[in-house]
């Protein structure tokens, strides 16, 4: 079995606990307007670097002494597009005593994603929008699969960290956020909520790919607005970062 890898980061600090080896896998069915990795959307021969699970894990193990108190995170793109490959990588890492995580937008149907979800110790779930219609307008797909994934994690006792990107004018409506916070608060497996400010670091990639970047004139959120949103989530007794 082979997988397609866009790139790796050997000292990641924002994709799960501790210092981590982060694997960016090719492929994503979403077309988020704020995506900073549009070069990961396609998943086919010639895109990224081809690895077997064994080859990738052998490279990960070169850094085992550095990440032994952190672990390995598979992200993308959407790592669950390559669910069987991801599952095999995660199982091999777990067997080596490494903590494992998947960073996902939850866009892949559970039936297809389950092998990788079951193999991971932590799920970093990006909920793009709690409103299905607004989620579809923002990403090209509704939120049904993401919410179903969260239900599955609750049923199986899988630890989840929720992530939400704040984009002014698109994902910062306080009524929507109040609804999202109330929804998340129902789940005992959610141990952390990360409120992430939108940024434009990937804008140049859109230009290089000849894609229309609709958020060219969208400002980054203010420190004050992010703090206000974090306080809103804290009202629901959530661990907010």
């Amino acid at each position: 079995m082979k997988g397609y890898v866009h790139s790796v980061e050997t000292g990641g600090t924002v994709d799960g606990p501790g210092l981590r080896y982060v694997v960016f896998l090719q492929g994503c069915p979403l077309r988020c307007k704020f995506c900073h990795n549009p070069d990961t959307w396609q998943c086919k021969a010639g895109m990224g670097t081809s690895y077997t699970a064994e080859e990738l894990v052998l490279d990960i193990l070169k850094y085992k002494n550095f990440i032994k108190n952190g672990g390995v995170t598979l992200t993308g793109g959407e790592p669950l597009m390559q669910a069987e490959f991801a599952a095999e990588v995660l199982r091999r890492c777990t067997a080596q005593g490494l903590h494992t995580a998947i960073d996902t937008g939850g866009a892949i149907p559970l039936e297809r994603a389950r092998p990788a979800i079951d193999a991971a110790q932590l799920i970093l779930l990006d909920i793009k929008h709690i409103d299905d219609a607004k989620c579809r307008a923002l990403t090209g797909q509704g939120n049904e699969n993401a919410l179903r994934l969260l239900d599955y994690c609750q049923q199986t006792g899988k630890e989840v960290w929720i992530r939400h990107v704040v984009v002014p004018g698109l994902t910062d409506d306080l009524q929507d956020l109040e609804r999202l916070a109330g929804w998340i608060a129902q789940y005992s497996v959610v141990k952390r909520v990360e409120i992430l400010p939108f940024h434009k670091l990937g804008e140049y990639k859109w230009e290089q790919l000849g894609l229309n970047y609709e958020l060219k004139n969208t400002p980054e959120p203010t420190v004050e607005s992010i703090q206000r949103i974090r306080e809103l989530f804290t009202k629901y007794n959530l661990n907010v970062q």
Side-chain angles (χ1 to χ4, degrees):
M1 183 188 304
K2 288 194 173 184
Y4 296 100
V5 174
H6 172 270
S7 57
V8 301
E9 182 180 352
T10 57
T13 59
V14 296
D15 295 295
L19 191 66
R20 307 186 73 80
Y21 187 112
V22 182
V23 182
F24 296 82
L25 293 175
Q26 285 288 152
C28 186
L30 299 180
R31 296 296 180 263
C32 299
K33 293 182 178 181
F34 56 83
C35 180
H36 57 271
N37 286 323
D39 48 339
T40 65
W41 287 351
Q42 301 300 319
C43 183
K44 55 187 179 182
M47 302 294 292
T49 303
S50 175
Y51 285 88
T52 65
E54 181 180 17
E55 288 169 341
L56 182 55
V57 174
L58 283 175
D59 191 67
I60 291 169
L61 292 177
K62 295 176 185 177
Y63 301 89
K64 186 175 182 180
N65 287 338
F66 298 99
I67 61 172
K68 61 184 178 182
N69 294 320
V72 177
T73 299
L74 304 186
T75 183
E78 172 50 72
L80 296 181
M81 275 194 72
Q82 302 186 60
E84 293 290 348
F85 174 74
E88 182 62 21
V89 171
L90 295 173
R91 285 191 289 263
R92 286 173 178 264
C93 288
T94 300
Q96 293 292 329
L98 293 171
H99 180 271
T100 58
I102 290 178
D103 177 17
T104 174
I108 305 301
L110 182 60
E111 293 75 15
R112 181 177 163 192
R114 188 179 285 118
I117 297 301
D118 289 345
Q121 293 166 269
L122 170 66
I123 306 301
L124 309 175
L125 177 59
D126 305 306
I127 295 186
K128 311 295 184 178
H129 211 296
I130 192 60
D131 183 278
D132 188 69
K134 291 179 180 179
C135 186
R136 194 172 299 278
L138 180 68
T139 71
Q141 185 171 310
N143 62 19
E144 177 183 355
N145 287 331
L147 299 184
R148 190 176 173 207
L149 172 55
L150 184 54
D151 284 339
Y152 179 70
C153 290
Q154 180 72 16
Q155 293 164 13
T156 57
K158 183 78 63 179
E159 182 178 351
V160 178
W161 292 6
I162 296 293
R163 295 176 142 184
H164 180 72
V165 179
V166 176
V167 185
L170 291 176
T171 66
D172 64 341
D173 180 86
L174 292 181
Q175 286 187 324
D176 288 332
L177 292 169
E178 188 98 36
R179 181 181 164 197
L180 176 60
W183 184 275
I184 293 170
Q186 302 175 77
Y187 295 88
S188 60
V189 292
V190 175
K191 303 302 182 184
R192 177 172 173 145
V193 177
E194 296 183 340
I195 303 301
L196 307 175
F198 158 71
H199 62 72
K200 298 183 180 181
L201 298 179
E203 181 177 357
Y204 75 94
K205 296 182 181 180
W206 288 70
E207 295 172 354
Q208 289 177 346
L209 294 168
L211 300 171
N212 178 33
Y213 187 67
E214 295 182 28
L215 305 186
K216 189 178 293 289
N217 297 318
T218 300
E220 296 183 359
T222 64
V223 172
E224 292 76 16
S225 67
I226 294 297
Q227 182 58 32
R228 185 163 57 248
I229 292 168
R230 286 176 175 151
E231 289 172 357
L232 183 156
F233 278 78
T234 301
K235 287 195 309 181
Y236 287 82
N237 296 317
L238 294 165
N239 175 23
V240 183
Q241 302 295 321

